[in-house]
Amino acid sequence: MSAPQTAAALPDAGTDHRAARRRSSTALLTDRYELTMLDAALADGTASRHCVFEVFTRRLPAGRRYGVLAGTGRVLEALADFRFEEPELEWLAEAGVVSASTLDFLAGYRFTGSISGYAEGEIFFPQSPVLVVDGTFAEAVLLETLVLSVLNYDSAVASAASRMTSAAIGRPCLEMGSRRAHEEAAVAAARAAAVAGFAATSNLEAGRRYGIPTIGTAAHAFTLLHDDEESAFRAQVATLGPGTTLLVDTYDVRRGVETAVRVAGPGLGAVRLDSGDLGVLAHEVRAQLDALGATGTRIVVTSDLDEHAIASLAVAPVDSYGVGTSVVTGSGAPTCGMVYKLVAREGRDGTLEPVAKASRLKTSVGGRKGAARRLDEEGRAVEEVLIAGPDSDVTTWSPEDQTMRPLHVPLVVHGAVDTRWTGAAGVRTAAERHRASRDELPRGARRLSADEAAVPTVTLRLGGGTAAADVAS
Amino acid sequence: MSAPQTAAALPDAGTDHRAARRRSSTALLTDRYELTMLDAALADGTASRHCVFEVFTRRLPAGRRYGVLAGTGRVLEALADFRFEEPELEWLAEAGVVSASTLDFLAGYRFTGSISGYAEGEIFFPQSPVLVVDGTFAEAVLLETLVLSVLNYDSAVASAASRMTSAAIGRPCLEMGSRRAHEEAAVAAARAAAVAGFAATSNLEAGRRYGIPTIGTAAHAFTLLHDDEESAFRAQVATLGPGTTLLVDTYDVRRGVETAVRVAGPGLGAVRLDSGDLGVLAHEVRAQLDALGATGTRIVVTSDLDEHAIASLAVAPVDSYGVGTSVVTGSGAPTCGMVYKLVAREGRDGTLEPVAKASRLKTSVGGRKGAARRLDEEGRAVEEVLIAGPDSDVTTWSPEDQTMRPLHVPLVVHGAVDTRWTGAAGVRTAAERHRASRDELPRGARRLSADEAAVPTVTLRLGGGTAAADVAS
């Protein structure tokens, strides 16, 4: 065993022996149609056309005022492992998915294009181009499902988690929902919650992979295992010390608190309440703890909390919130509606042309888009601005105006992943970005009640020496 | 490349080189408190007490009439990889989760207890003991989170999927929701949907791991990549053959269908509709196809379908349903409320005693329970029967009455996993079980409208020579 290491010193996933279990191919976490499209496009020569795909959502979940982008770092980690090796190629051949020549192409596949996007943790609105993938059709089309799986799930969790940390007004939120999500989604959920300001997680793998602090002491089973509550508390304090958190509601809360303080002393770290009317109970338990001299003992509550329950406990003497089901399932919105759309492609003459599916209802703007957030003099967001126009203008655009904060950052440059966004350091950077971005929202935007997007999305059209702004959604 | 192999001949995951990427430790997909409880219980000697944990749910999602158990095979696969190796032990030491002596215990950890449960695919109701874990506290407590993560997610998907295959009345349902779920959850969702009767999935990894047929041909991006729709269709037919499915709604459906039949001929396999009023469109497209002589060309619809949309299309000339978001997110119920509860443990005198948390609201019955479904003379389910009483009576119980179908099957016997339930064969067995179990439901139980559980759950108490049935929920 090596010496203790702080979370900050943990090497990033990807360079770390501890992450070894994740270093296997992600290439089949893909919909079959991506490979069949590649197969047909290689045959007719269109596979080499230069393409731009954008990831965006057409709308926020009903009543939500903003979304939180999460998962970008995981996309980059997965991209590094997106390769077709012998086991993948062999299965594709057996299953007859693509032709032999396409298998040869896949054997040599590496993404050599470029990806830019909103920094992880950034807030997004309808139409925000949160990720822009630039490469040949062949290399970009294969990433659709994997990119969307990661961003749709992680952003759903972060978007819900941000409402919870906002409602908690500075009290720590603890992620404890692993058991209510697929076992690997649980790790991603812990990570996404951390991006949105959660202080810790119960999930050990999330601690290992991403350096997120882990918490947890005991369940009701531990009390029930023992002949009585006092034996259980004595066993826990003997091993974990008096600073531990004792679960006091297995039999009777009042007797549980009395026993807890008697066993651990007034220096008891915390008591946990996992059932009952938490607001009322917290007041009673606080009074009892204070009367017993345990004035520094904290109260953790953990029973089916969501952002609304957290808000309703604001006046209760609660010290931290353990959140389970609602955070890992996106609190009513378990996935985002992000799509991965071809917005421009090289035509017969070699120039990049905007493309879009015909639709009366789908209001997406064709062509590559830049993005910026327009701020008022107080630094508050007033508009989400999509920068549209000729591709060359959009790619070279930079704001003349200091009130426009550009939103795109480079993530992958000609196939090289920028590792600042990955691993444990990426999660910390994303959490900082989220805090700053949320602080920038207009006053009232963090209310939990149902309302429209906190700022409108508008389009600024470049080109021809004039620029016109029009509402895109 | 080896010769083509049928799905039926695919070796099971776990014995297969193709599953190599999954053969890494699952031991940290665990909540920290399981390890801290173990730490304290090893110190005071209670860790070796014989325990029985049960997995059950207290209620079905609002309005649902039955649940579908899925994930059992995945639990067994994950259990085989639940071991603490050097990377796990090193991280636990660095993070200071448990003491050095507990690390030694973990290094030698293998589950040597026994697990029984409902066969995967079986229908369950409130209180149904779908999994029973029997072992020492030390070995059983560590499995809580992993077991619940798998069963809660997979069963949420299967429970929704079963309503969809039921509403489809024999038309194939195709799982296409990978992009709306965490990338590994997507694989589990494809598997759970197959358990509940889905015919195929778009997810390639699910095809590889579990032998589920995969489907998919092209997205709108493929049409947009080309200079016009006809070029795209020609490219697709040239590579995938006229039996392929052409996506006809990128520009104009009527012109799309006309072009599709002109390019592929009247032997065109299918057209796909991904937008618009599907019921009306399907009638129009069917008439157009028939008029063009493409009477064998099928119609696949794929736009935001759920069980209600599928039911509403029953009279439309639709041949199969592609389902995305709603199936992978459990159609409004993205997780099950299954819990992992200590129901009996060895006391000071060495006998197994029932235990339960005090609660006015939680109506669970203490002690180990057997389970059976009581059938009427037509073979229709009338009651879910929990068998309660002294542990020895419950474990040796078998029905005298032919109308009682026992529900528990052995899954792990003294640490040995029964591999009949794992891999591709396990999925096929589970799908058969689900079909038989659903056919056994009372008439009307498959209605989609909100209602109570299709049958009541009652408790049959053994012992003392008398047996009494009482309602448990």
Side-chain angles (χ1 to χ4, degrees):
Chain A
M1 305 299 161
S2 63
Q5 220 174 351
T6 67
L10 285 176
D12 285 357
T15 58
D16 183 2
H17 68 89
R18 292 192 214 81
R21 60 184 299 277
R22 304 181 55 249
R23 310 298 301 177
S24 47
S25 174
T26 55
L28 293 190
L29 297 170
T30 299
D31 284 322
R32 180 173 171 132
Y33 79 4
E34 286 149 43
L35 291 183
T36 51
M37 284 191 275
L38 172 68
D39 203 23
L42 283 171
D44 85 340
T46 51
S48 61
R49 287 186 169 191
H50 177 198
C51 286
V52 180
F53 286 85
E54 282 180 3
V55 176
F56 61 92
T57 183
R58 294 198 176 87
R59 66 196 74 85
L60 299 173
R64 291 285 181 87
R65 310 212 62 199
Y66 65 91
V68 178
L69 179 67
T72 311
R74 291 212 309 115
V75 166
L76 301 182
E77 292 163 11
L79 182 62
D81 299 327
F82 196 93
R83 53 181 193 275
F84 295 83
E85 299 189 338
E86 202 48 43
E88 286 75 42
L89 296 169
E90 193 175 323
W91 181 79
L92 289 171
E94 286 172 6
V97 175
V98 292
S99 62
S101 59
T102 297
L103 290 175
D104 290 341
F105 173 88
L106 292 175
Y109 177 87
R110 293 292 182 279
F111 182 76
T112 63
S114 295
I115 303 179
S116 60
Y118 284 31
E120 183 164 4
E122 185 59 80
I123 280 172
F124 67 83
F125 299 100
Q127 311 294 338
S128 295
V130 296
L131 206 77
V132 183
V133 179
D134 187 311
T136 64
F137 181 77
E139 59 190 359
V141 74
L142 295 184
L143 303 181
E144 176 178 16
T145 305
L146 183 57
V147 163
L148 290 177
S149 288
V150 174
L151 296 184
N152 273 325
Y153 180 68
D154 292 21
S155 300
V157 172
S159 297
S162 176
R163 287 162 60 86
M164 295 168 190
T165 54
S166 188
I169 326 176
R171 290 174 179 171
C173 291
L174 316 171
E175 190 282 309
M176 300 181 171
S178 294
R179 66 195 53 202
R180 302 289 187 214
H182 177 281
E183 68 277 18
E184 278 291 334
V187 183
R191 181 188 177 285
V195 167
F198 270 57
T201 177
S202 61
N203 189 287
L204 290 172
E205 188 66 38
R208 168 160 77 159
R209 273 189 217 162
Y210 297 110
I212 303 169
T214 59
I215 41 85
T217 56
H220 295 114
F222 187 75
T223 299
L224 297 173
L225 169 70
H226 287 81
D227 297 313
D228 52 54
E229 194 174 47
E230 180 166 339
S231 312
F233 288 178
R234 288 203 182 282
Q236 187 177 330
V237 169
T239 296
L240 303 179
T244 192
T245 299
L246 292 171
L247 177 60
V248 292
D249 68 344
T250 304
Y251 302 114
D252 174 83
V253 172
R254 191 158 184 87
R255 281 210 305 272
V257 170
E258 187 276 322
T259 306
V261 177
R262 179 158 39 78
V263 167
L268 173 63
V271 294
R272 177 159 78 95
L273 300 170
D274 186 46
S275 53
D277 181 340
L278 297 174
V280 173
L281 262 185
H283 279 290
E284 291 174 0
V285 167
R286 182 73 268 156
Q288 187 185 1
L289 287 169
D290 290 348
L292 293 168
T295 54
T297 300
R298 296 180 308 283
I299 298 175
V300 189
V301 296
T302 58
S303 181
D304 276 338
L305 299 179
D306 63 10
E307 61 268 45
H308 303 287
I310 290 171
S312 76
L313 289 167
V315 296
V318 165
D319 296 281
S320 59
Y321 302 102
V323 187
T325 306
S326 64
V327 66
V328 303
T329 60
S331 200
T335 186
C336 290
M338 286 187 195
V339 292
Y340 184 92
K341 290 294 174 196
L342 182 67
V343 296
R345 58 106 178 97
E346 191 181 341
R348 238 186 303 237
D349 66 356
T351 62
L352 207 58
E353 299 166 353
V355 294
K357 176 179 183 300
S359 170
R360 282 161 302 180
L361 298 171
K362 296 175 179 176
T363 54
S364 21
V365 179
R368 182 202 300 265
K369 284 166 288 297
R373 196 153 295 158
R374 192 190 299 279
L375 309 173
D376 66 14
E377 58 246 20
E378 284 185 356
R380 299 271 180 183
V382 290
E383 276 177 354
E384 185 82 340
V385 184
L386 310 189
I387 319 297
D391 193 74
S392 54
D393 292 0
V394 171
T395 48
T396 57
W397 175 85
S398 76
E400 295 168 27
D401 187 345
Q402 295 248 336
T403 65
M404 295 269 268
R405 179 166 72 81
L407 292 166
H408 281 157
V409 296
L411 301 167
V412 178
V413 179
H414 302 309
V417 170
D418 188 332
T419 56
R420 283 179 303 164
W421 312 108
T422 61
V427 175
R428 289 191 298 274
T429 303
E432 286 159 22
R433 173 92 308 274
H434 180 61
R435 198 163 42 236
S437 181
R438 197 172 66 179
D439 285 348
E440 203 180 74
L441 285 176
R443 292 176 206 290
R446 289 162 68 173
R447 272 205 326 262
L448 297 179
S449 47
D451 206 338
E452 304 200 348
V455 301
T457 302
V458 302
T459 304
L460 174 66
R461 292 187 191 282
L462 305 176
T466 62
D470 55 309
V471 174
S473 69
Chain B
M1 304 297 162
S2 62
Q5 221 175 351
T6 66
L10 284 176
D12 285 359
T15 58
D16 182 3
H17 70 91
R18 292 194 216 79
R21 61 183 298 276
R22 302 181 55 250
R23 310 297 301 175
S24 46
S25 175
T26 55
L28 294 189
L29 297 169
T30 298
D31 285 322
R32 180 173 170 132
Y33 77 4
E34 285 150 43
L35 290 183
T36 51
M37 284 191 275
L38 172 67
D39 203 23
L42 284 171
D44 85 340
T46 51
S48 60
R49 286 185 170 191
H50 176 200
C51 286
V52 179
F53 286 84
E54 281 180 4
V55 176
F56 60 93
T57 184
R58 294 196 176 86
R59 66 195 74 83
L60 298 174
R64 292 284 182 88
R65 312 211 61 197
Y66 64 91
V68 178
L69 180 68
T72 312
R74 292 212 310 115
V75 166
L76 302 182
E77 290 162 13
L79 182 63
D81 298 327
F82 196 93
R83 51 181 194 274
F84 295 84
E85 299 188 338
E86 202 48 42
E88 287 75 42
L89 296 168
E90 193 175 323
W91 182 79
L92 289 171
E94 286 172 6
V97 175
V98 292
S99 62
S101 59
T102 297
L103 290 175
D104 289 343
F105 173 88
L106 292 174
Y109 177 87
R110 293 293 183 278
F111 181 76
T112 62
S114 295
I115 303 179
S116 60
Y118 285 30
E120 184 163 4
E122 185 59 80
I123 281 172
F124 66 83
F125 299 100
Q127 311 293 339
S128 294
V130 295
L131 206 77
V132 183
V133 179
D134 186 310
T136 64
F137 181 77
E139 58 189 1
V141 75
L142 294 184
L143 303 181
E144 177 179 15
T145 305
L146 182 58
V147 163
L148 290 178
S149 288
V150 174
L151 296 185
N152 273 325
Y153 180 68
D154 293 19
S155 300
V157 172
S159 297
S162 176
R163 288 161 61 84
M164 295 167 189
T165 54
S166 188
I169 325 177
R171 291 176 179 170
C173 290
L174 315 171
E175 190 281 308
M176 300 182 171
S178 293
R179 65 196 53 204
R180 303 288 188 214
H182 177 281
E183 68 276 19
E184 278 290 336
V187 184
R191 182 188 177 283
V195 167
F198 271 57
T201 177
S202 61
N203 189 288
L204 290 172
E205 188 66 39
R208 170 161 74 161
R209 273 188 218 163
Y210 297 110
I212 302 168
T214 60
I215 42 84
T217 56
H220 296 114
F222 187 76
T223 300
L224 297 173
L225 169 69
H226 287 81
D227 298 314
D228 52 52
E229 194 174 47
E230 180 165 338
S231 312
F233 288 178
R234 288 204 183 282
Q236 186 176 331
V237 169
T239 297
L240 303 178
T244 191
T245 300
L246 292 171
L247 177 59
V248 291
D249 67 346
T250 303
Y251 303 113
D252 175 83
V253 172
R254 191 157 184 87
R255 281 210 305 271
V257 170
E258 186 276 323
T259 306
V261 176
R262 180 159 36 80
V263 167
L268 172 64
V271 295
R272 178 159 78 94
L273 301 171
D274 186 46
S275 52
D277 181 338
L278 298 174
V280 172
L281 264 184
H283 279 290
E284 291 174 0
V285 168
R286 181 74 268 156
Q288 188 184 359
L289 286 169
D290 290 348
L292 293 167
T295 53
T297 301
R298 296 180 308 282
I299 298 175
V300 189
V301 295
T302 59
S303 183
D304 277 339
L305 299 179
D306 63 10
E307 60 268 46
H308 303 286
I310 290 170
S312 77
L313 290 166
V315 295
V318 165
D319 296 281
S320 59
Y321 302 102
V323 187
T325 307
S326 65
V327 65
V328 302
T329 60
S331 200
T335 186
C336 291
M338 286 187 195
V339 292
Y340 185 91
K341 291 295 174 194
L342 181 66
V343 295
R345 59 106 180 95
E346 190 182 343
R348 238 187 301 238
D349 66 356
T351 62
L352 206 60
E353 298 166 354
V355 293
K357 176 179 182 300
S359 169
R360 281 160 304 180
L361 298 171
K362 297 174 181 176
T363 53
S364 23
V365 179
R368 183 202 301 264
K369 284 166 287 298
R373 196 153 295 157
R374 192 190 299 278
L375 308 173
D376 66 13
E377 59 248 19
E378 284 185 357
R380 299 273 180 183
V382 291
E383 276 177 353
E384 186 81 341
V385 183
L386 310 188
I387 319 297
D391 193 74
S392 53
D393 291 0
V394 171
T395 48
T396 56
W397 175 85
S398 78
E400 294 169 28
D401 186 346
Q402 295 246 337
T403 67
M404 296 270 268
R405 179 165 71 82
L407 293 167
H408 281 156
V409 297
L411 301 167
V412 179
V413 178
H414 302 308
V417 169
D418 187 332
T419 56
R420 281 180 304 163
W421 312 107
T422 62
V427 174
R428 288 192 297 274
T429 303
E432 286 158 23
R433 172 93 307 274
H434 178 61
R435 197 164 41 240
S437 181
R438 196 172 67 179
D439 285 347
E440 201 181 76
L441 284 175
R443 291 176 207 289
R446 289 163 69 172
R447 271 203 328 260
L448 297 178
S449 48
D451 207 336
E452 304 201 346
V455 302
T457 301
V458 302
T459 303
L460 174 67
R461 293 188 189 281
L462 306 177
T466 63
D470 54 310
V471 175
S473 67

